[in-house]
């Protein structure tokens, strides 16, 4: 078993315990990338023709490196289907690298200093379960140039922004208060890092800055009615450099998402006392499968799923993701469908060999109806359509915990 697969397995088992026993709150509503999958020729339901084709949704890794050659900012860029607009996903640089037991616990950003940029990119890709089409590190000046189309934006800085220079000097980059920031100042605030201060002190600021960027781009777009996008007829050209990739993301509607990071305080899990944060495995799979499904890497040889959720509550969809990951299957696509929830949860499949793999699902999902269809979905073995009975099940005492008789499938 590869190190990445081991890491994914350990992360999902940890996320399952957190998810079922004390789930942290997530932003309400799945990201809009899931909806855009419904507006492409490949986004039709499994029982409609033509068969589902997952749209091209490439991912890039944007890495900010300061003058001390340290990673201080990290974001995944996702291009939406049709190559207009996308999502900026902020990632804590102190995220737990989730290495196997034989390795050393470390922050994912520290891989860059210890093993170089290429190894760092692989580490982040393994953490997010995606393959990047482009990955690049940028300086503050380079980031400012990329942000130039944003222009000047007014925002409230709750506390002064301090950056530590290579000689150890602390400099106030921005004062606190309501102010109008240039693109250069936004770049400085995104990249700033004060030595000795926990990353948790600046995660809220980074989220606000990226949200401001997304809002500014949104306001600058022409006010026209949305059109149905198609990825079937016109080939999508994937940008080959980070500046062009970012320009494509901000060429249409942009949204922002920050991955949840929980500080690792237990000495046995963080023996070095690092500024270390566990990411939420369920959230990662849910977000990646909704905005960059074509870039998602299958973590096991098990069957692959598409999840259709009629619920606008991301916590419900995350529960479905966690339970599928617990069994060991792959979640490749997550879509938020604009319909009212049906009464019953349905799994659609087209291969009888797959049907036998679905027998234990009622243990984790409650009542399930199985529907065999003649249609084939490219890269997908089964489609899970969540219904009201799933929401009721996860709210019951039976559905709140995993049955001890459930057999785990190793990946």
């Amino acid at each position: 078993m590869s190190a990445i697969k081991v890491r994914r397995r350990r992360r999902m088992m940890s996320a399952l315990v957190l998810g079922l026993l004390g789930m942290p709150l997530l932003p309400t509503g799945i990201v809009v990338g899931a909806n855009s999958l419904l507006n492409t020729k490949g986004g039709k339901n499994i029982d409609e023709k033509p068969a589902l084709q997952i749209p091209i949704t490439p991912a890039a890794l944007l890495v900010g490196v300061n003058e001390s050659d340290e990673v201080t900012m990290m974001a995944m860029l996702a291009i939406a289907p049709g190559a207009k607009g996308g999502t900026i996903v902020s990632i804590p640089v102190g995220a737990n690298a989730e290495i196997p037991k034989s390795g050393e616990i470390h922050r994912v950003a520290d891989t860059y200093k210890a093993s170089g940029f290429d190894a760092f990119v692989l580490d982040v890709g393994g953490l997010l379960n995606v393959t990047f089409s482009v990955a690049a590190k940028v300086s503050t000046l380079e980031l400012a140039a990329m942000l130039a189309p944003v222009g000047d934006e007014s925002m409230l800085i709750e506390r002064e922004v301090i950056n530590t220079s290579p000689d150890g000097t602390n400099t106030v980059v921005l004062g606190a208060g309501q102010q109008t920031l240039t693109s250069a100042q936004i770049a400085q605030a995104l990249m700033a890092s004060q030595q000795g201060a926990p990353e948790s002190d600046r995660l809220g600021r980074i989220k606000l800055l990226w949200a401001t960027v997304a809002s500014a781009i949104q306001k600058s777009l022409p006010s026209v009615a949305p059109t149905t996008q198609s990825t079937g007829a016109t080939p999508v050209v994937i940008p080959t450099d980070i500046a062009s990739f970012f320009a494509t993301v901000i060429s249409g509607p942009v949204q922002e998402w920050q991955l949840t990071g929980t500080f690792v305080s237990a000495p046995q899990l963080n023996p070095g006392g690092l500024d270390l944060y566990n990411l939420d495995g369920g959230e990662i799979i849910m977000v990646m499968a909704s905005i960059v499904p074509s870039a998602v890497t299958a973590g096991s040889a098990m069957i692959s799923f598409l999840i259709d959720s009629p619920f606008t509550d991301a916590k419900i969809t995350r529960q479905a993701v966690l339970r599928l990951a617990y069994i060991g299957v792959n979640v490749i696509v997550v879509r938020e469908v604009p319909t009212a929830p049906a009464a019953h949860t349905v799994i659609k499949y087209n291969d009888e060999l797959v049907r036998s793999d679905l027998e234990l699902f009622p243990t984790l999902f409650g009542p399930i109806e199985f529907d065999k269809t003649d249609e084939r979905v490219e890269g997908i073995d089964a489609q899970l359509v969540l219904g009201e009975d799933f929401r009721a099940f996860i709210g019951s005492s039976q559905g709140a915990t995993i049955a001890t008789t459930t057999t785990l499938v190793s990946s």
Side-chain angles (χ1 to χ4, degrees):
M1 191 187 304
S2 70
I4 288 179
K5 287 182 179 179
V6 170
R7 176 168 57 189
R8 288 174 183 158
R9 185 65 176 162
R10 291 178 59 213
R11 182 171 69 243
M12 287 315 304
M13 290 304 298
S14 174
L16 179 77
V17 174
L18 291 174
L20 298 182
L21 299 183
M23 184 178 67
L25 293 178
L26 293 176
T28 300
I30 294 180
V31 283
V32 76
N35 287 330
S36 66
L37 294 179
L38 295 173
N39 298 327
T40 68
K41 287 184 178 179
K44 295 183 178 180
N45 287 338
I46 193 172
D47 54 0
E48 296 178 10
K49 293 183 179 180
L52 174 69
Q53 302 251 331
I54 298 175
I56 297 175
T57 49
L61 181 61
L62 174 65
V63 184
V65 178
N66 66 10
E67 294 178 347
S68 300
D69 199 30
E70 298 169 331
V71 175
T72 60
M73 185 276 298
M74 190 162 58
M76 189 194 81
L77 308 177
I79 295 178
K84 282 287 185 181
T87 307
I88 301 169
V89 181
S90 177
I91 310 163
V93 301
N96 189 348
E98 297 281 358
I99 41 79
K101 293 180 180 179
S102 58
E104 180 180 349
I105 294 173
H106 66 280
R107 302 159 70 250
V108 70
D110 293 339
T111 302
Y112 170 64
K113 295 289 285 185
S115 305
F117 188 71
D118 290 344
F120 163 73
V121 173
L122 288 174
D123 224 8
V124 179
L127 194 64
L128 302 183
N129 297 350
V130 299
T131 300
F132 298 114
S133 298
V134 178
K137 53 184 179 178
V138 296
S139 66
T140 303
L141 288 177
E142 291 169 327
L143 181 60
M146 293 168 59
L147 292 172
V150 175
D152 298 345
E153 285 296 313
S154 177
M155 62 182 297
L156 174 64
I157 303 297
E158 293 189 349
R159 66 173 75 176
E160 61 182 10
V161 179
I162 298 174
N163 183 62
T164 303
S165 60
D167 64 4
T169 302
N170 287 331
T171 303
V172 177
V173 174
L174 292 176
Q178 188 75 35
Q179 53 199 292
T180 298
L181 304 183
T182 64
S183 56
Q185 289 175 311
I186 292 175
Q188 288 179 316
L190 283 169
M191 297 279 280
S193 176
Q194 182 180 2
Q195 187 175 6
E199 186 179 8
S200 55
D201 284 354
R202 57 192 176 99
L203 287 177
R205 178 183 78 230
I206 290 174
K207 177 177 174 60
L208 178 60
L209 287 164
W210 281 127
T212 300
V213 168
S215 176
I217 296 300
Q218 197 74 26
K219 289 186 296 184
S220 70
L221 297 175
S223 299
V224 295
T227 58
T228 299
Q229 298 174 325
S230 172
T231 60
T234 306
V236 174
V237 178
I238 301 175
T240 57
D241 65 273
I242 199 68
S244 298
F245 205 104
F246 186 78
T248 301
V249 170
I250 65 173
S251 66
V254 184
Q255 60 185 352
E256 170 276 335
W257 189 288
Q258 186 174 72
L259 294 178
T260 306
T262 304
F263 178 66
V264 182
S265 58
Q268 67 272 24
L269 300 178
N270 186 10
L274 304 174
D275 189 29
L276 186 72
Y277 300 84
N278 278 338
L279 300 188
D280 184 301
E283 180 191 17
I284 288 174
I285 294 179
M286 182 182 70
V287 173
M288 298 304 127
S290 67
I291 62 174
V292 286
S294 72
V296 170
T297 304
S300 76
M302 295 290 290
I303 60 177
S304 295
F305 264 81
L306 177 155
I307 298 177
D308 275 346
S309 174
F311 301 105
T312 57
D313 187 347
K315 296 188 291 295
I316 296 175
T317 306
R318 177 179 173 275
Q319 282 288 327
V321 167
L322 285 171
R323 290 159 195 260
L324 288 178
Y326 178 75
I327 297 170
V329 304
N330 302 293
V331 178
I332 305 298
V333 183
V334 173
R335 307 186 303 184
E336 183 182 291
V337 294
T339 59
H344 304 298
T345 297
V346 178
I347 292 182
K348 300 183 180 184
Y349 66 99
N350 71 331
D351 189 336
E352 285 298 339
L353 294 177
V354 172
R355 176 68 174 85
S356 62
D357 290 333
L358 306 176
E359 293 298 335
L360 57 75
F361 277 64
T363 305
L364 303 177
F365 286 83
I368 288 180
E369 293 182 357
F370 295 98
D371 180 13
K372 189 175 186 301
T373 173
D374 293 331
E375 297 292 349
R376 183 184 64 84
V377 182
E378 185 174 340
I380 301 295
D381 299 299
Q383 177 189 14
L384 173 64
V385 184
L386 299 179
E388 285 288 359
D389 48 10
F390 176 67
R391 173 157 56 179
F393 181 71
I394 62 175
S396 68
S397 57
Q398 179 185 2
T401 56
I402 296 298
T404 55
T405 55
T406 299
T407 303
L408 292 180
V409 180
S410 61
S411 58

